[in-house]
Amino acid sequence: MPELEVIIGLEVHAQMSTKTKMFCGCDNDAFGKAPNTTVCPICMGHPGTLPTPNAVAIDKAVLASLALECTINKENHFDRKHYFYPDLPMGFQISQFDFPLSEKGTVTYDIIDDSGKVSDTKVCGITRLHMENDAGKLTHKGTTTLCDYNRAGTPLMEIVTEPDLRSEQEAVAFAQELRRILIAVNASQADMFKGMMRFDASISLREKGTEKLNPRSEIKNLNSFKALERALQYEEKRLRKEWEDNDGPRKGDITVGWQDDIGKTRLLREKETADDYRYFPEPDIPPLTFTQEDIDAVHATLPKLPRAQKEDYMDMGIDEKQALQLVDQSDLRSIFDAVYATTKDAKRTSSLVLMQLLGFLNAEEKEVNDGPDPTKILELVAKIDDGTISANTGKDVLQKMVETGKSASEIIEAEGMQQISDDGAIEEMVQKAIDSNPKAIEDFKNGNEKALGAIVGFVMKESKGQANPGKVNEILKKKL
Ligand code: ZN
Ligand code: MN
């Protein structure tokens, strides 16, 4: 057996986050809605209707293209891609064939090891990004098939990579970085649970050191990173066995489907030639044209991309694992950013948000969204900063905020947790501490500075942690 190399390329479909569908005014958010309620004659392909491209979808696809460092084709157009399937009401998909929106990009991505640290940085070429509309959804029940066309017409970006990925691990790391980028530029919510991002993966083997690509196996319909990884692992093993049995690569391409429940691929078809979709330019939509000014204007709105965001957090002194966590969880990030904007203290912010808040949320098995929002957290920060409560008490207040959903003021008020800074009250407590600890006072007078700690500790204990420690020290020293 020669030493073999794995060659992987991906085709990614991502639903765009727009209010309306790609070619009609129907609601693009069908999640949780009754079947066939967000449809109209246009997305149902009725005769005599005309599609109108969604300008917001086009802008988002341009922005995503620029984030992937693709070159925009200043003239591009839609094509009809014909195939017949019950989920496709028009009998064709409006896609882009020979002139896609953009081409020739790159994505730089990091391989993260088990400890959360970057172990390698790689680059994957992007062949093209084009726009098209999604199909409906079929549900098979016994011998019956139910059709829901709510999703029919949802704007999609199809992103095709070069065969640059060399392992399952690289494929998953690339796909995760692509997802981060699409979310960062707000082109797609890329919610995997809602099927907003789906993968088809091509895999083949070749002898290490050779250049020619061998016939590949295309795995359809991978709906999670886990499925992508498992399917590629399974198919790689299968192809290695096949190579061994045939003493060489397979002869033609095949298409297989991933069966997540049993963890195996299943042969769908053997390809002799490319599918004949009888593409032709969509006659009802004029070609799209972009000037350099159009492209520059969109480029000017390009936000900071995930790897740069991560660098920023690391420059603040946040460790890599936590920086990645912030990049990946936008709800957590908005809390972190709001607190940091007020405190200007990365260490304090990360202890409050990434240690305390996340710890309490985990203990309650709550999501970040179910916990206190940035405004509520900032109210707590203000209560600590103005001396109403100590930082230590702040921790207890935050825990109660997570448990009850109440605000910091409500909890402090209801539980009487205010810090005691009143001179008279503290003086009284300090006197009591002195009277109750003659031994410590004796030690202090004999030159043992540390003995004071016992007195302060006594006051803090008596006041249930609410005495202002600065004041306690100050008054104690005055008295002695
Ligand atoms: Zn419609
Ligand atoms: Mn497609």
Side-chain angles (χ1 to χ4, degrees):
M1 247 327 240
E3 196 187 341
L4 299 179
E5 179 179 40
V6 186
I7 310 291
I8 297 169
L10 297 181
E11 270 182 34
V12 184
H13 285 91
Q15 291 182 351
M16 283 190 251
S17 50
T18 54
K19 283 209 163 57
T20 57
K21 292 186 180 179
M22 190 70 219
F23 299 111
C24 64
C26 285
D27 187 352
N28 187 34
D29 181 14
F31 193 74
K33 301 212 168 93
N36 300 307
T37 54
T38 60
V39 293
C40 75
I42 299 172
C43 54
M44 291 303 290
H46 289 194
T49 58
L50 278 178
T52 312
N54 181 336
V56 175
I58 295 172
D59 279 350
K60 291 198 176 209
V62 170
L63 191 62
S65 297
L66 297 174
L68 303 178
E69 297 173 9
C70 287
T71 305
I72 308 288
N73 283 323
K74 287 182 181 154
E75 268 196 53
N76 61 85
H77 64 255
F78 288 102
D79 297 277
R80 290 187 179 181
K81 177 184 183 180
H82 296 81
Y83 65 95
F84 294 95
Y85 208 65
D87 64 2
L88 193 69
M90 290 191 283
F92 56 86
Q93 182 184 32
I94 303 180
S95 182
Q96 297 191 288
F97 180 50
D98 43 4
F99 291 92
L101 176 68
S102 65
E103 295 176 272
K104 297 190 183 74
T106 52
V107 168
T108 303
Y109 64 98
D110 294 324
I111 307 280
I112 314 287
D113 68 16
D114 291 339
S115 71
K117 292 227 174 351
V118 171
S119 62
D120 206 351
T121 297
K122 302 258 172 178
V123 176
C124 180
I126 302 293
T127 312
R128 57 188 275 155
L129 182 153
H130 70 251
M131 297 176 284
E132 58 190 29
N133 56 348
D134 210 344
K137 216 174 201 166
L138 302 181
T139 308
H140 305 283
K141 284 191 174 171
T143 55
T144 311
T145 296
L146 302 170
C147 307
D148 175 8
Y149 295 108
N150 283 350
R151 200 179 70 182
T154 283
L156 289 178
M157 289 175 284
E158 180 177 325
I159 298 156
V160 183
T161 79
E162 291 292 299
D164 287 345
L165 305 161
R166 291 289 171 273
S167 66
E168 294 79 18
Q169 192 193 24
E170 286 186 19
V172 171
F174 162 81
Q176 286 172 336
E177 188 64 18
L178 177 63
R179 176 172 181 269
R180 286 185 194 109
I181 293 171
L182 297 181
I183 292 173
V185 301
N186 194 23
S188 173
Q189 288 172 278
D191 186 329
M192 313 288 295
F193 289 110
K194 294 184 183 170
M196 288 178 177
M197 194 177 182
R198 316 186 292 260
F199 310 104
D200 300 323
S202 287
I203 176 169
S204 61
L205 300 175
R206 72 178 173 200
E207 262 182 67
K208 214 164 183 156
T210 61
E211 288 296 316
K212 195 176 141 278
L213 293 173
N214 288 314
R216 63 193 186 168
S217 175
E218 189 186 14
I219 316 169
K220 288 288 196 190
N221 292 329
L222 303 167
N223 295 328
S224 68
F225 295 122
K226 198 82 223 153
L228 176 64
E229 186 178 23
R230 289 173 68 213
L232 283 170
Q233 277 167 351
Y234 178 88
E235 198 60 12
E236 180 191 335
K237 218 167 139 191
R238 206 190 58 72
L239 287 171
R240 280 182 186 277
K241 172 86 172 50
E242 207 178 61
W243 186 298
E244 206 174 335
D245 293 347
N246 302 332
D247 199 22
R250 54 169 305 103
K251 295 287 177 276
D253 292 341
I254 49 166
T255 303
V256 300
W258 174 245
Q259 307 168 93
D260 205 46
D261 47 347
I262 56 168
K264 287 183 176 171
T265 58
R266 167 175 72 102
L267 183 69
L268 295 177
R269 55 186 178 267
E270 301 207 28
K271 272 191 193 172
E272 295 286 300
T273 52
D275 290 321
D276 183 7
Y277 292 115
R278 292 174 298 116
Y279 279 103
F280 64 77
E282 166 60 57
D284 290 336
I285 304 176
L288 303 175
T289 54
F290 296 89
T291 62
Q292 190 57 46
E293 288 73 43
D294 294 336
I295 297 166
D296 292 345
V298 178
H299 202 281
T301 68
L302 200 63
K304 199 159 256 189
L305 295 180
R307 292 182 82 246
Q309 290 172 5
K310 193 186 84 178
E311 288 298 316
D312 283 356
Y313 285 121
M314 290 175 69
D315 287 345
M316 279 182 197
I318 305 292
D319 76 42
E320 189 150 36
K321 198 173 176 178
Q322 292 183 324
L324 257 181
Q325 197 175 12
L326 288 171
V327 171
D328 279 340
Q329 287 182 256
S330 60
D331 36 12
L332 187 65
R333 183 164 78 231
S334 59
I335 295 176
F336 184 96
D337 289 350
V339 174
Y340 181 76
T342 300
T343 63
K344 307 262 186 272
D345 181 341
K347 214 175 152 198
R348 182 179 171 197
T349 306
S350 95
S351 141
L352 189 69
V353 178
L354 301 177
M355 307 297 291
Q356 298 176 24
L357 176 65
L358 270 192
F360 297 141
L361 285 168
N362 286 342
E364 291 288 302
E365 292 184 0
K366 282 185 176 172
E367 298 292 329
V368 174
N369 273 331
D370 304 326
D373 61 21
T375 323
K376 282 192 163 160
I377 307 265
L378 281 177
E379 192 199 337
L380 172 68
V381 170
K383 293 283 173 202
I384 297 169
D385 287 349
D386 71 9
T388 308
I389 53 172
S390 66
N392 234 340
T393 307
K395 207 170 158 181
D396 298 335
V397 174
L398 183 58
Q399 183 171 14
K400 292 200 163 78
M401 284 166 70
V402 170
E403 286 168 2
T404 65
K406 288 191 177 130
S407 74
S409 340
E410 285 172 310
I411 292 162
I412 295 166
E413 191 74 25
E415 314 245 337
M417 295 166 105
Q418 293 91 338
Q419 182 163 252
I420 302 165
S421 296
D422 175 68
D423 283 1
I426 291 182
E427 199 165 337
E428 219 170 276
M429 288 190 277
V430 168
Q431 192 54 55
K432 191 179 169 201
I434 291 171
D435 296 345
S436 317
N437 295 279
K439 171 93 174 59
I441 300 298
E442 187 74 36
D443 289 350
F444 175 70
K445 286 186 173 155
N446 287 333
N448 183 359
E449 289 275 336
K450 278 187 192 154
L452 270 196
I455 309 286
V456 174
F458 184 89
V459 175
M460 294 312 289
K461 205 174 158 206
E462 283 281 297
S463 71
K464 297 193 179 70
Q466 284 169 255
N468 181 329
K471 278 262 161 85
V472 172
N473 267 305
E474 189 189 308
I475 291 174
L476 180 61
K477 279 191 181 135
K478 226 184 277 170
K479 275 191 174 288
L480 294 175

